[in-house]
Amino acid sequence: MMRRLALVLALAVPLAACGLKPMYAGGAGGAIAQGLTAIDVSPIEGKSGWLMQSALTDRLGSARRSGAARYRLDVRLDDKLEGLGLLSDDTVTRERRTLRARYQLVDLATGEIVLDETVGLDAGIDVVSSEYATIAAENTALENLTKEVADRIVTRLALKLRSLDAGQR
């Protein structure tokens, strides 16, 4: 038993010295969480834009912000729906919905673009005989893609804010 404990302690010491730090240390009061709440999301056109702006605002916590915004997030979306599977009578049996987002994080104090990236995902949709079911599947795919893309954007923003915070120290 003592050997096991000694082995665990011996392995824990190098792990503690590896330099890994939790990104969201400090919870809602931590530097990264405070930095995310200081981001305003610009209006985005269309239904997919409304969904994306809502998802980003929820994930960033902008509604909880007490002071002025420090950054602005500009997002441009490209939402495509294309038919893939074709039968001999030119009937589409499968569709692919692609959602791509180009986003820029702008420092409001200097006007400098701090981050400029693109992220995108796609989803497959079965086209069935019921038009209602197909439309519902297309809408569900858009909602799910929007949430996933928003998650990826927020993760990348958090990484950028962490690197900016480390550069100020």
Side-chain angles (χ1 to χ4, degrees):
M1 183 67 150
M2 290 300 266
R3 285 185 181 175
R4 286 185 185 172
L5 182 61
L7 179 64
V8 168
L9 289 175
L11 293 174
V13 171
L15 184 60
C18 72
L20 289 176
K21 293 184 282 184
M23 184 177 308
Y24 295 105
I32 301 301
Q34 291 296 317
L36 290 174
T37 59
I39 298 174
D40 253 350
V41 181
S42 298
I44 310 168
E45 285 186 27
K47 177 182 179 179
S48 58
W50 179 82
L51 289 169
M52 180 62 71
Q53 184 178 11
S54 178
L56 286 169
T57 302
D58 288 347
R59 284 157 177 74
L60 293 171
S62 302
R64 295 188 312 263
R65 181 178 56 238
S66 57
R70 179 171 179 198
Y71 299 102
R72 182 184 73 237
L73 183 64
D74 298 328
V75 181
R76 286 184 301 282
L77 293 178
D78 182 21
D79 179 23
K80 290 184 184 174
L81 186 62
E82 59 186 340
L84 291 178
L86 293 175
L87 296 177
S88 59
D89 62 351
D90 288 336
T91 305
V92 175
T93 60
R94 188 104 171 122
E95 293 176 336
R96 179 173 65 187
R97 180 157 227 156
T98 306
L99 184 65
R100 304 266 182 256
R102 179 165 183 213
Y103 58 98
Q104 295 178 327
L105 184 65
V106 179
D107 187 334
L108 293 175
T110 63
E112 175 188 1
I113 296 175
V114 179
L115 182 65
D116 184 358
E117 292 189 358
T118 302
V119 65
L121 292 170
D122 59 16
I125 302 163
D126 287 327
V127 177
V128 295
S129 60
S130 168
E131 193 173 325
Y132 174 77
T134 301
I135 292 171
E138 291 169 355
N139 287 332
T140 300
L142 177 60
E143 291 169 8
N144 292 338
L145 287 171
T146 300
K147 291 174 188 174
E148 284 293 318
V149 169
D151 286 340
R152 290 182 182 205
I153 290 172
V154 170
T155 299
R156 187 61 188 107
L157 291 172
L159 289 170
K160 185 61 178 179
L161 289 176
R162 183 175 69 175
S163 71
L164 291 172
D165 186 46
Q168 291 176 351
R169 291 181 185 174

